[in-house]
Amino acid sequence: MDALLLQILNGLDKGSAYALIALGLTLIFGTLGVVNFAHGALFMIGAFCSVTLNKILNLSTVTLDATQKDFLGNPLKVKTPYVESWFGEAAGQSIIDWSVPLAIIFAIPVMLAIGVIMERGLIKHFYKRPHADQILVTFGLAIVLQEVVKAFFGANPIQTPAPDALDGVMDLGGAIGLQLSYPVWRITYFFFAMAVIGGVFAFLRFTTFGMVVRAGMADRETVGLLGINIDKKFTIMFGIAAAVAGLAGVMYTPINPPNYHWGMDFLVLSFVVVVVGGMGSLPGAVLAGFLLGILESFASTTWATTTIPGINQIIIYLVAIIILLVRPRGLMGRAGVMEE
Amino acid sequence: MLNLNQRDTGTFLFVIIITVLAPFVMNPFPTESAMAQFNAGYPDLMQRFVIFGIFAIGFNILFGLTGYLSFGHAAFLGVGSYAAVWMFKLLSYNIIPALVLSVIIAGIFSLFIGFLCLRRSGIYFSILTLAFAQMSFAIAYSVLSNPKFNLTNGETGLQVYADDIQLFKVENLTTPHLFGVKMNSTYELTLGAWDFQFNVGYYVSAVVMILMFYVSIRIFRSPFGLMLRAVKTNQTRLNYTGLNTRPYTLAAFVISGMYAGLAGGLLASMDPLAGAERMQWTASGEVVLMTILGGAGTLLGPVLGAGFIKYFENILSKINDNVLHAWFQYLPEWLENSLVWVLHWFTGKGWHLTLGLLFMIIVIFLPGGLMDGANRIREAIRGRKAKKNAKTPAE
Amino acid sequence: MSILEVQNVNKSFGGLKALQNVNLKVEEGTIHAIIGPNGAGKSTLLNCFVGKLVPDTGSVTFDGQSLLQKKPHEINQMGVSRVFQTPEIFTDLTVFENVMIPCFAKRDGSFELNAWKPVTRESDIRERAEQMLIDVNMIDKRDMIASSMSRGDKRRLEMAMCLSQSPKLLLLDEPTAGMARADTESTIELLKEIQARLKITMAIIEHDMGVVFSLAQKISVLAQGTVIAEDLPDAIRSDPRVKEAYLGTAAED
Amino acid sequence: MTLKNTTRRGVLKGGALAGAGLAMPQILTAASHAGYTNAPQGADVTLGFNVPQSGPYADEGADELRAYELAVEHLNGGGDGGMMNTFKVSGGNSMLKGNGILGKEVKYVTGDTQTKSDAARASAKSMIEKDGAIMITGGSSSGVAIAVQGLCQEAGVIFMAGLTHSNDTTGKDKKANGFRHFFNGYMSAAALAPVLEKMYGADRTAYHLTADYTWGWTQQESIQAATEAKGWKTANNVLTPLATTDFSSYVAPVLNSGADILVLNHYGGNMINSLTSAVQFGLRDKQVNGKNFEIVVPLYSRLMARGAGENVKGIFGSTNWHWSLQDEGSKAFVKSFGTKYGFPPSQAAHTVYCQTMLYANACETAGTFNPCGVVEAMEGLEFDGLGNGPTTYRAADHQCFKDVLVVKGKENPTSEFDVLEVVEVTPRAQVEYAPDHPMFAGGDLGACNPGA
């Protein structure tokens, strides 16, 4: 029982990341009709926003400490971060400690800018080109982005810990007599994801901007005829999609130390999520994200792997294949969208 | 000649001449010169040129003609390699049974996957093939390599051991051979400051590629090829013209799968080892890059693209900072250092970045690939834009 | 003798009843027009003929055989060709290649792995395609890429593609929609000429009355999913029900 | 074997003389020369450094390259000589004099393995076929090492393996032309088990998470056997797909399994992610069966441990070498590496540096670059002063036997490099095994192959 609940929690957690990435991906596909293979890379860049902020906050003055020796026997170089010398040691340390949540503020403008630049500079020219070309150019972009990140940050994963206050384990099951302890940060991530998803939906639901975009998703040409400058709105939409993926990346860094390869790792997966949920369906993407997360968790249990050896390796792809063959519009896709 | 029109005969002869003379063409710089770094005329790379050429030619029959973008063709290459190595393990090192089996197995495998994937088109088809390829990779990498049932030998790669069965084992033939002629035999010709290497494996692969290139020309120019191009243009019309598109696309898929299997079998024949990473989706992405880079839907493009990418992978990745410094040593030091600093990002360990950039540039500015670029240059030299309506299709 | 028979066909999408008890007979060798206001169900009906849609109930028979459950290419192989509202042609191929494809389909059936013999050696197909282009007066455009032609030429090409299969029944979906007056007239002439020369049965969906009355030998009027009248053109012209359907209450005068 | 000309440069001179204006072609076949592949003819000799420059192990590859450059510098007489000064062979000094190898200046070419067998073999082949490399070395994964080792055996050049920890490299996939300085899964287990018993007691139940590929399996098999011999029980062994990034669903069930030890048979990115997950789930703060729950990482790498950050503190594992060792060899190496690059070398750097020195020494001893001569000189070689104490290259399987370091994540690191501390130097006698040990059985070393 506890094991089952634990796997569901795990699934929701993984699903949060999948859902956030897929949300942006399907938003871009729904509004712009563009298949963005660089979306995983945006997630990765978000994660490195967090790393960058951490590095910036750790910029230090170097003093030599003659009492200690470094590995060559020279006096040890002791680094004092500027923030500590500016705000005092305690305040400075807590600023560094909270660098991941702080990175949200840092990442939003950065990701919006990257999204807008990407759309204006590249994607715009591909609206009229075949899907294959869009896939290929964004695939090329994904390679470039990951190599640039590698050139700056190296290939090794970089540890970016959560704030001490949110590090540790919370006992969720004590009240109901179950042994169910779960990392605080993962719970935070789940709620953060829900908030972002809720924000995006509310934005689309309750603002005029959102209404136009939704109308545009339903029928791009008609909205264009109404004389609304839909292109500009779509540019902003692309920026928002990039920001959502970026935020998902920022907050994911304490769960797994980020490396330059994350984009490709999450790319195939997020496409599967979008397909399972239904191309262009926002609720579908969210639902499929959580569903696949949970399914993946269950497939990893000893029970599953002993029943069907290797099921944990292939479950995601198997689901994608079955969905595509049996119900190509996905769980919540509209009939007729991309079915043939 | 050979039932080809004049233009195709020209292309075909060009391919034959280039492949036969490759040991010379690829080795333009004297062995001891600084530029020797750029020579590509050594057996392994030349073999890769023609083998990946075969892979790309086959892929082009599917993607170039029908427009179906498969992200899973590396799976067939991998399957072909495994089949070939198994033939080495079970029968003998003779490459003929290995090649035959690799084509057959890849054909069956692609029939199965194609049958399922072709129920969808567009991006859905791409994602389906991607999912199948990733699944095949995972299965080959660990599921089918467990100690109880070891079909692929996992990370280490499938290879031939001395205690393997080898029913028709021949003494002294411990590497792949064609009726006794060893694939790894190399003859060398020294001509002044130049060394040229003539490798048996390369010429065997080259002959296979030339044959396969010929087959692909015939397919391109046949009614079947016409139908495939029609599939790309307008499936609705084709259906309402009384043609069932599914068998056409499936046939194209299987043919390209068999080409991939043959390429995989040849890879294993040149070097008897088959690894799972050949099946990864990034490897499938590579053949897509090759085809696009050269020019999808053109005859020569995929071969060019394959050569280009393999050249980059093997030559550019070996240019380290030391080599760069050696090139620019005659320059003033500040200039030398800044040049090296700039190039450093793009060569050696940075070659993936160059590849990504190059690829983007091609897709953005030259959607027709290198062939398109060559045509544009030719037209520019002629000084007039060729009439659009006089353009010969598919070339 | 009727070549196409529609009996009690019903088709609904969700709550919307697109076709209700439609009955229709197309006589062999005639031009039969199906008219009706927008949303009357004309396109739905046509799609039931070609296998794109399957009626919920009722039967559609062609030449004595049921068309239900048949795929578009199978129906075409039975001898039904279709011209679309916006010309569906192979835009990336040359005019000549466009016409060769239906010739191959006619000769080889729905699939043939003919991957070895060059197209240039298929002399019977080439002759037939060339003849067809001469017939529709397009032989000078033989090597043009189809996408670069005018809309009228595209329509003409599509017609040639359909005719090259010598169909038993030619379905035309608003063949003059969006055409200039002169083009419309030349299309009408072309259709008349084809009908006179080849005696091909045609079913035309059209809402341009001028076209319909100058072409059709028989007319069915479709309104709100049912056939409200089926008769000779003159009779249809004076039928009050038709006026009502087209003009609403104005039928009182 | 091949009919490849291996006296390239000699012929070249002849060609230049004979054909200054005439360019007389000379077709060479096997009959026209005898010797071995890529015999160096001029004033220099080329070595091939084949390391991962892209992919997840690129940083290890970069560190290996630094060490190679340093080794070449030292061999050619540059720098402070590093470990060349402390390198002792069978009691005496090594044969290295700082004048290159056998008087020839050492040159090198580099290539990218991409941590893929195919790419690694392609890169190695180009070094052999195009650049005339006489020896290939490097690598950061067992699959790649085995693939390249097989290739070198066929081509007739020496392969000096870099990082490769699978039992198979000198087990069922051993080759006469290949040598491994690095330790292996069995030795890790043999060194770790006694320390683990001492620290955590004999009454323990272990839960294994194992990367689902060849290396993971051999590592897990080794550590399970070694710990069970000390009285531990094994609760479960769960295979995790290599591509896993979030290990939460594998870590979560551990606590309820009754196990009180978690063994992570993971390396690289897998290790960082699984350890991070395990710590996140609070495993280390738990008590099971009245004992503190503990985590073990059998194979440590400092570069990777850095990626796991705080999480490695207090966690035991093994490593091949660590820069904090205080023997003369290690100190000399750290000094020259640190002076040149500004940070201490990794175990990967140390391994490949040693391999280069050992190869050079073997050539000097043999008096030839001929692989068969090198193999003879290497087999049974006893040496010291390369940082791991007295060491032997065993003739039977070309595995190096030396002390193994048991390390622990440091509680109070003073710098970003100061991540591990050495807990115990396990004497080599304790980690040795018979060449026909079941975990290593089945292979055939074969005979040395000089190529041509």
Side-chain angles (χ1 to χ4, degrees), chain B residues 3 221 229 234 237 240 242, chain C residues 76-77 88 119 121 158:
Chain B
N3 249 336
R221 300 294 177 240
R229 285 195 286 137
N234 192 339
R237 176 35 87 196
Y240 287 104
Chain C
N76 176 279
Q77 288 287 347
E88 291 276 1
V119 174
R121 296 288 168 97
E158 193 185 25

Side-chain angles (χ1 to χ4, degrees), chain D residues 218-287:
Chain D
T218 58
Q219 175 61 67
Q220 193 277 330
E221 187 189 11
S222 305
I223 195 102
Q224 180 174 345
T227 50
E228 283 181 355
K230 298 284 177 200
W232 287 23
K233 287 185 278 300
T234 305
N236 203 351
N237 174 32
V238 174
L239 300 176
T240 62
L242 192 73
T244 311
T245 47
D246 182 358
F247 284 84
S248 56
S249 20
Y250 297 100
V251 168
V254 173
L255 268 186
N256 300 341
S257 69
D260 45 30
I261 298 269
L262 174 64
V263 182
L264 296 173
N265 298 298
H266 289 137
Y267 188 67
N270 270 344
M271 185 280 268
I272 294 174
N273 289 337
S274 66
L275 182 59
T276 306
S277 283
V279 173
Q280 225 165 55
F281 271 77
L283 292 191
R284 304 188 63 196
D285 311 324
K286 289 279 154 70
Q287 292 253 321

